Amino acid sequence: PATAGRPRPAPRASPTTCPAPARSKSPSRSPARQEPIMSRELLRLTREVDYGVFDAAALEANKVTLDIQEDNGWTVRENPEFWRIKSAASNNQDVLVGSDISNVGGDLKLYMRGSYSQFLIDLATNLIGSACKDLGSFTADYGTFTEDGTCTAAYTRYLGCKFGSLRMTCDNTNQGQLLKGAFGVVAKETAPITVTDFPIPLPADYDNDKPFSLRDTSGAILVDTLPRDPESLDIAVENVLNPYRGNSKYISMLRANGRTSKTTMRGLYLNNADRVAYQGIAPKALKITFTNATHKMVWDFGAHNLITMIADDFKMSDYNRQTLTIDNFLDGPGGTDFTVAVTPAP
């Protein structure tokens, strides 16, 4: 026990360079509040001019610093492909193991803020070039910190990244209200970097506008100009990425050779018109608009869409519901399948 009147010694400073987060002075917390955590990750994307080459002179408009917003929000890693040699002289056990090639890929998951949505969606959907079109590539600089008490920064540069897929979802669950984007990433190779190459971002480097949500589509999900009121929405784009690997450790080329896109929505069963269109293979126009306080995002799928699946969910003790899957197609040879535009809110 401390002697009366003797001042307590000041707490010893922690040797780590990561300060502990301040605790809330309030004894009560709302259910949505999360406990402070020490995890820290850094991520910056930079558009590439030449595939697989970091653009050190990139303009600010061609870079974005993203905050990791959930567990395993960035899972891109280099993974060697192993070969094995067994030996009958050793009871058919492995006697030699190694690797001469590596694949680099993973996922990026985050909530879709209007401030950076166009940047990410363009990389996932915008075909560039004159005769032979392709998706643009980017470099991803990633940093995290060790858990050995020193809080040492560990950096990796991922070169020649392209988005192989994009999926955006929202519904009426707690966190599901917000529009979440999931991007599949395929990369060319990795390279070591340091804090000199990617300085720790300042708070002002991050966007903090409210992400889009399902509420932001009220009256603006139009199928043949008729507004829909779904309780869940799913927009998916799958790119066909063809890698080429010659006699090097990593791939040397990664080209987009096509894509598919579809929208899935679940809501009330209102009439039989959708089933009639589905069975009659009748084309549908589709347009989805998100509008919040800061930004507006419009997905215009044009008039060449088909309902390719209908799932009825008719319960005795609940509302009759219906899930529509609408596949998107080109307007015609040389045409477009869809366009996406993100602008400041009107």
Side-chain angles (χ1 to χ4, degrees), residues 2 4 10 23 39-40 45 99 107 113 185 196 207 221 235 267 311 345:
R23 292 186 176 273
S39 176
R40 193 174 188 191
L45 309 187
S99 174
D107 296 297
R113 304 184 193 273
V185 182
T196 304
D207 296 302
I221 299 178
I235 300 173

Side-chain angles (χ1 to χ4, degrees), residues 18-63:
C18 291
R23 292 186 176 273
S24 170
K25 296 181 180 179
S26 172
S28 62
R29 292 190 297 263
S30 65
R33 183 181 177 87
Q34 297 181 351
E35 290 292 338
I37 55 176
M38 287 299 294
S39 176
R40 193 174 188 191
E41 296 174 87
L42 313 174
L43 181 63
R44 180 184 66 190
L45 309 187
T46 305
R47 293 180 187 270
E48 295 177 347
V49 177
D50 299 310
Y51 176 67
V53 179
F54 174 66
D55 184 8
L59 301 176
E60 287 302 314
N62 291 323
K63 297 185 288 186

Side-chain angles (χ1 to χ4, degrees), residues 177-254:
Q177 301 171 67
L178 300 175
L179 184 67
K180 178 180 284 188
F183 298 80
V185 182
V186 179
K188 178 179 184 288
E189 60 184 329
T190 62
I193 57 172
T194 67
V195 69
T196 304
D197 304 291
F198 182 21
I200 294 179
L202 300 174
D205 294 326
Y206 291 101
D207 296 302
N208 198 33
D209 51 305
K210 178 182 174 293
F212 292 113
S213 73
L214 185 60
R215 299 285 78 75
D216 298 330
T217 65
S218 179
I221 299 178
L222 304 177
V223 181
D224 278 350
T225 72
L226 297 177
R228 301 301 176 101
D229 181 28
E231 60 187 4
S232 67
L233 179 66
D234 185 328
I235 300 173
V237 179
E238 288 285 339
N239 295 315
V240 179
L241 293 184
N242 288 335
Y244 176 79
R245 189 197 314 270
N247 56 3
S248 59
K249 177 180 179 180
Y250 300 105
I251 63 173
S252 57
M253 298 176 64
L254 182 63

Side-chain angles (χ1 to χ4, degrees), residues 7 36 53 60 64 82 85 139 155 179 190 197 229-230 260 276 281 310:
V53 179
E60 287 302 314
V64 63
F82 291 95
I85 297 178
T139 297
Y155 286 94
L179 184 67
T190 62
D197 304 291
D229 181 28
T260 59
V276 171
I281 315 179
I310 290 184

Side-chain angles (χ1 to χ4, degrees), residues 45 60 74-75 77 96 106 118 150 157 191 211 224 251 315:
L45 309 187
E60 287 302 314
W74 175 259
T75 63
R77 301 290 189 272
L96 195 60
Q118 189 77 68
T150 65
R157 171 164 286 171
D224 278 350
I251 63 173
K315 291 184 170 63

